[in-house]
Structures are given as structure tokens and as C-alpha cells.
Amino acid sequence: MATTPDFATYLHEYAVVSTAKDARWVDVEWSDGQHTRFHHLWLRDNCPCNECVAEITREQTFEILTVPGELAASTVERSRSGDVVVGWPDGHVSVFDAGWLRAHVYDNGSSSVPDNRTATTKRISWDSSSFDAPPTFDGTAVLTNNDSLYEWLTALQTYGCSRVRGLPDDPDVVGALCGRIGMVRHTNFGVLWDVKSEPDPISNANTSLRLPPHTDLPTREYQPGIQFLHCLVNDATGGDSVLLDGLRIVEILRSESEAHFQTLSTVPWNWANRSKTSDYRYASPVIVLDGNGELAEIRVGNWLRAPLVDAPFDRVEAAYEAYRHIFEITYRPELVVQFRLEPGDCMIFDNRRILHARTEFDPNSGNRFLRGCYSEREEVESRLRVLEREKRAAIAHS
Ligand code: OGA
Ligand code: ZN
Ligand code: ZN
């Protein structure tokens, strides 16, 4: 097995059958009959040898300008151990592990599923007919068992929401739960923050008011990707939890009005989160698309809006019309999953995809105390990849 330029274990599910080259690329034929092409310069750029990749860090030291742009391989062959060996005109030799090569196929015509794309789990949109409460996992299991952790995080990526039950009655356990994934995102609300009705609140969140469907901190350039809300006490009347899928909301909005979809994904709204000692502001469309036109994030927060000043004057009426439309969609019962957090429950959701809300509660009827923290999508993605790496290593060594 050849050296790979990373820390993963590759299962050799497909063997290299033959190799060929022409002026622009190398063609690799696999045991399942597929042919995949790799450009010469791509192969040279990805040489995993110890001259091209630092042995300990597994990070590249090769620099692209040290070879000509028109570089072509001199020789390509399948080694006896099944690797792909490429010889270059200057005598350099690159040996590609077949498992690594297969996992990094980028030939669009091929039907192989590369496992090294940036996002690996497909998102599934949902509404209130999908479930009564978010996909639920056992607290002890996810805190102690990596297979349970993997199942939980996969569901979180797929549906954007989840619930973990049976957590200890410990105000810091939400930090430990986040620590199973990765870093906590610090904000001006603290590392772990309290949600309870307070006499001198810095946000509507710290009152007993209804919180309409929102994402947290649309007021920041980078909205937190993952949010945790752990329930320690919930014996007041009211204060139910609500989740809605932003992905589904945007699908519906677009099917009902392409014009409103265009407006919401181009005209910036103003967001602000001001206190006596801080003044955070950001302007962004409500719907943010990625380079493929897919939903990157949704930004909604009724009490976090500032006066609309960054929209072009002649788009303001259209902006309000589209904004009313998306808000009207969030009121539709068929989209709302409403449930009650019990002590020991934690809901964990993608704060850039899912809208969350709470119904009003009566602070005189009992106590209500949630503790939360933020993390990022990339922490979940990284943890899932490392868990997948461990699974593959276990298979390879069994
Ligand atoms: C918040 C929030 C939900 C709740 O603090 O931003 O959404 O149930 N809280 O109190
Ligand atoms: Zn090399
Ligand atoms: Zn919130």
C-alpha cells in the first residue's frame, strides 16, 4: 500500500485494472468497469511522496511553479501491488494508492461516489408530517459511544435538527455534549449562556415573551452554525419549543413566487444586536445561496432587525412584500413541529438552516431554565470525517 497524503485509511474496494494516458490525462480503469480520468498536472500536484508532502504534517511542500504548466507524464503503469505509478520527465516518480485515487475521483462523467467531497451527508427537508419531535438520541450513549455519536451527527446533518434525552442535571453538560463534537463558539452572550426570564434582560430571549421563528445571531457576519439548548427546568405554563425547516420554507416560497425568492436572496436586510456595551450589526439577504444555487443559510430574527437602510430605495416595497410572504409561510401549521423540552433534554440544530421559536410562558407559574451554546457546522463535519476514518481503520484491521 502506497503512502497517502493524509491520515485516512482507504479500503481497497475497487482495484485498478489498467492504466493508459494521452496528451492531457491519465485514464484509470477499475474493477467495476469504470474509467476515470486524471489530468497530468492534477496528478503531479497530488504526488504523495515525502519530497512533495511533509511526512509528519501530511501537508504539501510541492509548489506548482516548480513544474511546467504543460507537464505530461512520461510513463503510467499499475504496480504489482495495485498502485498507480506515474513517471515524470524530470525523473520524479509518483505512486498513488488505488484506494486514495478512487476516493478522489473528480471525473464528472463517472458514477463513482467520492467520499472526500466537502459535504458528505445529503440534506432531507421536512415538515410536521415527518415527525412530532426532532430525531431523538440517548444522552448517555452519545456522550460515551462513538457509534451513537456518529448516528446522532448524521441525523443532525440530514434533517438539521435533533434531540438528545436523559442528560444529567448539570448546567455544564451542554458544554460536554458540544465537546463530543468540537469547539464551542464564544459570543458576547458567553461560552455557555442562560435562557431564563430576567429582571434586566439584554435580549428578548431573556424575557418570557414569545420568540417568533428565528435564527440566532443573524446580526453577525458568520451566524453560528450549530446551536444547543439544554433544558434544566421547565415547569412554567407555556414555553413550548418550535422548529421549522428553513430548507422546506425556501422550497415552498420559491414554488409560490420566483420573484419573492429572487428578492429575498438579493436584497439585504439590516440586523442589529445592541446592548449598553455592544453594538453588533450586519446586512445580508434573508436567503443566502451557495455557488451551486443551493441554500447556504437563512437569516431570520424579528427582534434582531434594524431599520432597513441598506436596500436600494426602489427595492424596499418589493423587499417588504417578499419578507411578509416568507413570514406568512412560517405560520403554517403544516410546517411547525411543536414539542416540550423536559429537564434532561437538549435540542441541537443547524442554526443556519432551521428556524426555532418558543411560545410565551408565564414566569409566575413556575421556573424555566435552559442553557445553551453555539458551535459550527464545520466542527460537525470534521468530527464525522474522523469517525468515518476510525470506522474504516477498524474494518481494514479486522
Ligand atoms: C433563544 C431561544 C428558545 C427558548 O434564546 O434564542 O430561541 O425555548 N430560546 O427559550
Ligand atoms: Zn513527489
Ligand atoms: Zn434563539
Side-chain angles (χ1 to χ4, degrees):
M1 219 179 291
T3 311
T4 58
D6 56 34
F7 298 96
T9 304
Y10 292 96
L11 302 180
H12 294 78
E13 294 156 305
Y14 307 99
V16 173
V17 174
S18 70
T19 60
K21 69 177 174 71
D22 71 11
R24 293 169 65 196
W25 48 68
V26 166
D27 186 299
V28 177
E29 183 191 1
W30 300 90
S31 50
D32 61 351
Q34 282 205 57
H35 283 263
T36 61
R37 297 166 300 171
F38 300 90
H39 295 93
H40 294 290
L41 203 55
W42 187 98
L43 287 167
R44 181 63 191 85
D45 189 28
N46 286 290
C47 178
C49 86
N50 289 344
E51 269 173 54
C52 297
V53 174
E55 201 175 343
I56 295 180
T57 62
R58 310 269 77 207
E59 290 178 342
Q60 192 171 47
T61 52
F62 168 76
E63 295 186 34
I64 199 76
L65 290 183
T66 59
V67 297
E70 302 301 309
L71 184 70
S74 310
T75 58
V76 182
E77 61 186 31
R78 180 189 176 283
S79 75
R80 243 192 281 163
S81 54
D83 303 322
V84 172
V85 181
V86 181
W88 303 102
D90 62 359
H92 198 82
V93 175
S94 304
V95 182
F96 297 98
D97 175 84
W100 180 89
L101 202 57
R102 177 73 185 212
H104 291 83
V105 163
Y106 62 94
D107 190 343
N108 300 335
S110 95
S111 60
S112 71
V113 183
D115 53 11
N116 274 288
R117 290 272 191 255
T118 307
T120 43
T121 311
K122 198 172 152 35
R123 296 185 295 192
I124 298 176
S125 77
W126 51 266
D127 60 27
S128 64
S129 68
S130 312
F131 36 65
D132 299 330
T136 299
F137 299 84
D138 177 65
T140 307
V142 301
L143 283 171
T144 56
N145 178 294
N146 280 359
D147 289 333
S148 304
L149 179 64
Y150 185 84
E151 280 172 37
W152 167 41
L153 298 183
T154 303
L156 176 58
Q157 274 203 330
T158 306
Y159 300 102
C161 64
S162 64
R163 176 174 62 174
V164 167
R165 308 202 90 161
L167 289 167
D169 178 25
D170 170 355
D172 292 333
V173 78
V174 65
L177 187 62
C178 181
R180 286 286 283 157
I181 304 174
M183 298 300 144
V184 175
R185 156 97 174 253
H186 298 200
T187 70
N188 63 316
F189 292 100
V191 179
L192 307 181
W193 31 265
D194 293 350
V195 183
K196 44 165 97 152
S197 179
E198 289 169 4
D200 187 20
I202 58 162
S203 164
N204 282 6
N206 296 90
T207 66
S208 61
L209 293 168
R210 157 182 151 84
L211 296 179
H214 65 285
T215 55
D216 274 21
L217 307 193
T219 54
R220 306 305 154 85
E221 178 179 4
Y222 198 59
Q223 277 191 131
I226 304 292
Q227 178 169 172
F228 294 70
L229 279 172
H230 174 215
C231 174
L232 289 143
V233 183
N234 197 9
D235 53 30
T237 308
D240 281 3
S241 298
V242 167
L243 296 173
L244 300 103
D245 187 5
L247 194 58
R248 178 61 63 88
I249 290 169
V250 171
E251 284 167 8
I252 292 172
L253 174 92
R254 189 169 199 179
S255 73
E256 293 176 353
S257 171
E258 180 68 22
H260 290 172
F261 171 78
Q262 293 299 338
T263 301
L264 285 168
S265 55
T266 51
V267 178
W269 281 86
N270 289 81
W271 314 98
N273 177 205
R274 291 178 270 232
S275 76
K276 286 162 192 144
T277 55
S278 63
D279 191 335
Y280 293 94
R281 298 185 201 188
Y282 195 63
S284 161
V286 167
I287 296 170
V288 180
L289 303 177
D290 69 14
N292 298 321
E294 305 282 339
L295 181 71
E297 65 172 349
I298 184 165
R299 290 175 175 258
V300 178
N302 196 54
W303 70 97
L304 299 167
R305 278 194 307 117
L308 180 55
V309 293
D310 280 318
F313 183 81
D314 61 4
R315 308 279 317 264
V316 168
E317 286 148 312
Y320 271 103
E321 190 183 303
Y323 187 75
R324 289 175 68 95
H325 184 186
I326 198 165
F327 245 86
E328 182 266 307
I329 294 172
T330 70
Y331 282 83
R332 297 183 192 171
E334 66 268 27
L335 295 182
V336 171
V337 170
Q338 181 167 336
F339 57 101
R340 200 173 169 79
L341 286 176
E342 302 294 342
D345 290 356
C346 183
M347 64 179 191
I348 307 94
F349 52 92
D350 181 332
N351 182 61
R352 298 172 65 203
R353 162 178 170 184
I354 301 297
L355 305 189
H356 64 290
R358 109 177 145 217
T359 64
E360 188 182 2
F361 64 95
D362 175 2
N364 300 317
S365 64
N367 290 320
R368 188 175 190 277
F369 178 24
L370 309 186
R371 205 128 192 271
C373 69
Y374 301 117
S375 186
E376 302 298 352
R377 282 179 180 168
E378 60 203 18
E379 299 292 332
V380 175
E381 290 161 6
S382 167
R383 175 59 63 219
L384 274 171
R385 288 190 200 105
V386 171
L387 291 169
E388 274 163 16
R389 227 193 245 173
E390 288 169 7
K391 278 176 188 279
R392 282 200 293 268
I395 295 171
H397 296 134
S398 67

